[in-house]
Amino acid sequence: MDGAAADTEWVPEALGFGQHLGDLAVAATHDGAGWSELRLVPRADLAPPMAGGAVQYALSVFEGLKAYRDPAGGVHLFRPRMHARRLVASATRLGLQPVDEALFIEGCVQAVRAHLALLPPHGRGALYLRPTLHVDGEFLGLRAPRRHGFSVLLSPCSDPVLKRLRLWAEPELIRAARGGLGAAKTGANYAAGLAGLLRAQQRGYDDVAWLDADDHCRLAEAGSMNLFVRVGDRLLTPPLDGCILAGVTRDSLLHLAADEGLQLAEAPLDLDQLMCAERRGVLGSAFGCGTAARIAQIDEIGNVDYRIRFADDGLPQRLSARLKAAQEGADSRYAGWWWGV
Ligand SMILES: *Cc1c(COP(=O)(O)O)cnc(C)c1O
């Protein structure tokens, strides 16, 4: 990793996210008959062909999960089986050959073991893993894919600090519609979203709040985070309607938030209802969540026509602390979510 690990000044808090990559990756290939053994290879040797489905037709899917050091110094992956199952679902939606759960987890374990020296101490960061499945081979047409590549890239990252965001409720562009790719973790969704992010940033917002494709009335998700809003003593998050990603962090929070004494509901986040709740004084905090950021507080969602201001009720901070303990191996009630490396 570009010298950072060898540097005696190595400070986990300065790693950020996604900026440093491990020199090695774990990779396997599928030739149409079955998956090869996993191999440890130089990351720089992995390159999907230009004249192939991954580059030309966005035929690739990915995952993002983290490995943490627990208080006793042990190392675990957080909820790798749920990530493995989601990669299978994403691959199936795109028509790709899935990798089975065992190969997925073994690839992650090997990637972590090869980079243990880069794993920050307990509480100060993680190894972010990026398992990727793509169509391999050279062919300039769309056909049933034969050759596939699976690889696990790795990036040491800081413990995320709780950010505060203003989101642009995008009034024209959409990210996903029913029957589309919204529930798949695939680059095509990011391709659909980049122009919206640029628009948001040009207007001084931090990220996009994507709305539903039918009538642009309901919050769907942020660029790479699922959304939660508190209204009174209810904590609401949009249902898994096929247009949003089934976030592992979202699912974890649906378990953890019960400890806050809140009533949880997967329910549409209708903009009009949120504005009404704001007028009535019962609109609480809002936040986005995902593996990379953990939790990001949302102060405001709006565009040129309206602005919804969320309360600062301390809930994002409290849930972030609960989630951090569950992820990092400090809250043994969630030991079932840890996979020892
Ligand atoms: C990965 C991702 C998320 C967050 O999912 P987690 O499993 O919680 O990391 C949310 N939305 C999109 C579009 C994503 O790609």
Side-chain angles (χ1 to χ4, degrees), residues 127-156:
L127 290 178
Y128 177 78
L129 299 168
R130 175 54 68 89
T132 308
L133 173 65
H134 71 276
V135 168
D136 210 347
E138 292 194 297
F139 177 65
L140 284 178
L142 192 65
R143 66 174 176 194
R146 281 195 288 274
R147 295 182 55 190
H148 294 74
F150 172 66
S151 53
V152 182
L153 308 176
L154 178 146
S155 172

Side-chain angles (χ1 to χ4, degrees), residues 30-293:
H30 193 288
D31 58 6
W35 285 101
S36 69
E37 295 282 297
L38 292 161
R39 296 166 299 134
L40 204 56
V41 297
R43 172 175 47 85
D45 289 359
L46 293 172
M50 278 303 295
V55 173
Q56 300 294 332
Y57 305 125
L59 292 173
S60 71
V61 295
F62 65 94
E63 271 305 315
L65 68 161
K66 283 179 174 174
Y68 297 93
R69 221 180 265 286
D70 65 35
V75 176
H76 63 266
L77 300 166
F78 186 69
R79 307 193 74 180
R81 300 183 66 187
M82 196 170 177
H83 286 280
R85 287 196 290 267
R86 190 170 65 187
L87 190 77
V88 171
S90 300
T92 303
R93 172 61 186 85
L94 269 75
L96 310 188
Q97 172 68 51
V99 284
D100 63 39
E101 194 175 303
L103 188 78
F104 177 96
I105 294 180
E106 184 54 25
C108 292
V109 166
Q110 287 189 19
V112 171
R113 287 196 184 140
H115 295 90
L116 276 180
L118 301 181
L119 176 53
H122 173 72
R124 296 178 61 192
L127 290 178
Y128 177 78
L129 299 168
R130 175 54 68 89
T132 308
L133 173 65
H134 71 276
V135 168
D136 210 347
E138 292 194 297
F139 177 65
L140 284 178
L142 192 65
R143 66 174 176 194
R146 281 195 288 274
R147 295 182 55 190
H148 294 74
F150 172 66
S151 53
V152 182
L153 308 176
L154 178 146
S155 172
C157 57
S158 304
D159 185 48
V161 290
L162 190 122
K163 286 196 191 132
R164 303 188 62 144
L165 307 176
R166 293 172 63 240
L167 303 187
W168 166 257
E170 171 54 45
E172 287 165 19
L173 307 179
I174 58 149
R175 175 189 170 275
R178 272 175 215 277
L181 296 179
K185 200 164 178 81
T186 180
N189 285 328
Y190 286 73
L194 178 61
L197 174 65
L198 299 180
R199 277 190 189 198
Q201 290 176 342
Q202 276 157 14
R203 288 165 168 86
Y205 288 80
D206 303 294
D207 201 347
V208 188
W210 293 105
L211 305 180
D212 69 282
D214 299 328
D215 41 21
H216 289 232
C217 283
R218 293 173 294 282
L219 293 174
E221 65 174 308
S224 55
M225 289 188 290
N226 291 115
L227 296 174
F228 281 82
V229 175
R230 179 182 182 173
V231 179
D233 58 4
R234 301 180 76 207
L235 185 61
L236 309 171
T237 193
L240 301 178
D241 59 357
C243 298
I244 65 168
L245 198 79
V248 175
T249 317
R250 172 188 181 279
D251 184 80
S252 302
L253 284 169
L254 285 172
H255 288 87
L256 289 162
D259 292 345
E260 289 286 328
L262 294 168
Q263 209 185 313
L264 294 164
E266 297 180 71
L269 294 176
D270 194 286
L271 290 169
D272 284 340
Q273 284 173 4
L274 296 181
M275 286 181 216
C276 179
E278 187 183 10
R279 280 196 297 276
R280 289 169 48 226
V282 293
L283 186 63
S285 55
F287 54 90
C289 69
T291 297

